[in-house]
Amino acid sequence: MELALAYPAIKAFMCGSLSGTCSTLLFQPLDLVKTRLQTLQGGVQPSSGRVGMLTVLQSVVRTERLLGLWKGVSPSFVRTIPGVGIYFSTYYSLKQHYFQDGIPGPMEAVLLGAGARGAAAVVMLPVTVVKTRFECGRYSYRSVGGALRSVCQTEGPAALFSGLMATLLRDVPFSGIYVMFYSQTKASLPKEIRLSPSAPLANFCCGILSGVLASLITQPADVVKTHVQVNPGLRTAEAIRYIYTAHGLQGYFRGAVPRSLRRTMMAAMAWTVYEQMMARLGLKS
C-alpha cells in the first residue's frame, strides 16, 4: 500500500521539478530586481514600484550586462528544482491521504497548500539564504557549495537558517491562500471550459488571479525575510523595526511589483505544467 502511494508521489515530484525549472529560468530577472529593490543596492531610491523596477533593470544591465539579470540563477535552480518537487509531492501525498474520495473545501485547501509549502521551505532554507545573498550583489560567492561552506565557516551553521520565521510567515500563508483561491476559482469555471482544449489557459488565468492576491498579502514578510538573510546577525523583530524606521509603512512593500509578477507567473506556470503532466501520466492532481 505504501509503495503504491509512494510511486505516484515520485511522479508528482518529477512533474513539480520540471515545472519549477521552466518557471525559474524565465522569471529569475524579476527575483533579482525584487531583491535589489528591497536592499536598495547601488544607491537606487525608487519613488514608486514601477519606476524603481525600471531603474534597477537599467542599472544591472549597464553595470553587469544582460546576463547579470540571471545572477543567482544557480542557487535558484538548486533551491527550486527539488523545492517545487518536494512541494508538489507533499501536496499530492497529503491530498491523496486525506481527500482521496472528495474535493477539499476552502479551509482544507489552505491547510494542504500551507503544509506542503512549510515542508519545502524548511528543507530548502539554506539554499534560499545563499540565493538571496547571490542576488543582492553584496557577496562574491563563486558557487552554491562554496557559499554554503563560507557561511558555515564565518557565521556558523545556524546562519543557514536565518530568516526562518519570516520565510514561513511569507511562504506558508502565500501557498495556503494561493491554493484556496486557485482551487475555488478553477472549480467555479463552467464545465464546458474545464473540459475544453482551452482548459490549461483558463487554469493559468485562475493562477494569475490567485497569485496576485497571495503576493500582495504576504509582501511585508518577504521584505523582512530579505533583510534578515542579507544582514548577518539581524533578527526578525529588528528587521521589522528597521524597515519601519527607515522607510515607513511603504518600506514593507518595496519590490512588490517584480515579486508579484514573478510569484504570480511562476505559480501559475508551475501549476499549469504540473497538472498537464500529471494528466498525461494518468494521475489526478
Side-chain angles (χ1 to χ4, degrees):
M1 178 66 178
E2 292 182 359
L3 183 60
L5 288 174
Y7 184 59
I10 293 173
K11 288 185 177 181
F13 179 91
M14 295 172 63
C15 293
S17 295
L18 180 58
S19 67
T21 302
C22 298
S23 54
T24 297
L25 184 61
L26 284 173
F27 304 120
Q28 174 63 22
L30 289 172
D31 202 27
L32 180 135
V33 170
K34 180 265 299 184
T35 301
R36 296 288 177 95
L37 279 172
Q38 291 177 351
T39 54
L40 302 176
Q41 279 302 110
V44 176
Q45 298 289 341
S47 58
S48 66
R50 184 176 179 82
V51 174
M53 181 177 169
L54 294 176
T55 303
V56 172
L57 276 171
Q58 293 169 355
S59 175
V60 172
V61 172
R62 184 174 60 252
T63 59
E64 304 174 45
R65 299 184 179 181
L66 185 62
L67 288 179
L69 292 173
W70 275 267
K71 190 172 185 178
V73 74
S74 295
S76 287
F77 276 138
V78 174
R79 168 181 173 262
T80 303
I81 293 175
V84 177
I86 292 170
Y87 171 75
F88 278 116
S89 60
T90 303
Y91 173 84
Y92 178 84
S93 299
L94 289 172
K95 187 177 180 182
Q96 291 300 305
H97 182 76
Y98 291 105
F99 306 104
Q100 190 170 10
D101 299 323
I103 299 175
M107 288 308 300
E108 293 164 337
V110 169
L111 294 176
L112 279 174
R117 179 55 65 191
V122 172
V123 172
M124 302 309 300
L125 186 61
V127 183
T128 302
V129 173
V130 169
K131 166 186 164 295
T132 303
R133 294 189 177 190
F134 263 92
E135 293 170 350
C136 79
R138 298 182 185 177
Y139 298 84
S140 56
Y141 300 133
R142 294 182 177 274
S143 67
V144 177
L148 290 170
R149 287 194 299 271
S150 176
V151 174
C152 285
Q153 292 170 0
T154 60
E155 303 170 41
L160 292 175
F161 289 88
S162 61
L164 173 61
M165 184 58 66
T167 299
L168 292 176
L169 288 175
R170 177 197 67 170
D171 287 354
V172 171
F174 176 91
S175 184
I177 294 168
Y178 180 91
V179 173
M180 179 189 69
F181 281 129
Y182 181 69
S183 61
Q184 295 305 302
T185 53
K186 195 173 70 166
S188 67
L189 292 173
K191 187 175 181 180
E192 54 268 23
I193 293 180
R194 282 184 277 138
L195 299 178
S196 70
S198 62
L201 178 60
N203 293 343
F204 187 80
C205 292
C206 291
I208 290 177
L209 175 61
S210 304
V212 170
L213 294 171
S215 293
L216 292 176
I217 292 171
T218 58
Q219 176 64 21
D222 184 68
V223 178
V224 173
K225 186 250 355 162
T226 298
H227 278 272
V228 171
Q229 292 180 342
V230 166
N231 300 286
L234 187 67
R235 299 180 181 276
T236 300
E238 294 170 341
I240 293 172
R241 287 196 297 271
Y242 167 77
I243 294 167
Y244 181 77
T245 301
H247 309 293
L249 288 176
Q250 65 182 8
Y252 296 111
F253 291 90
R254 281 196 183 275
V257 173
R259 177 175 180 261
S260 294
L261 286 172
R262 174 185 172 272
R263 287 303 298 263
T264 296
M265 298 300 290
M266 279 192 71
M269 175 178 283
W271 273 91
T272 301
V273 172
Y274 166 75
E275 290 181 334
Q276 290 303 301
M277 290 186 66
M278 291 290 280
R280 289 180 179 276
L281 293 173
L283 296 173
K284 186 178 180 180
S285 58

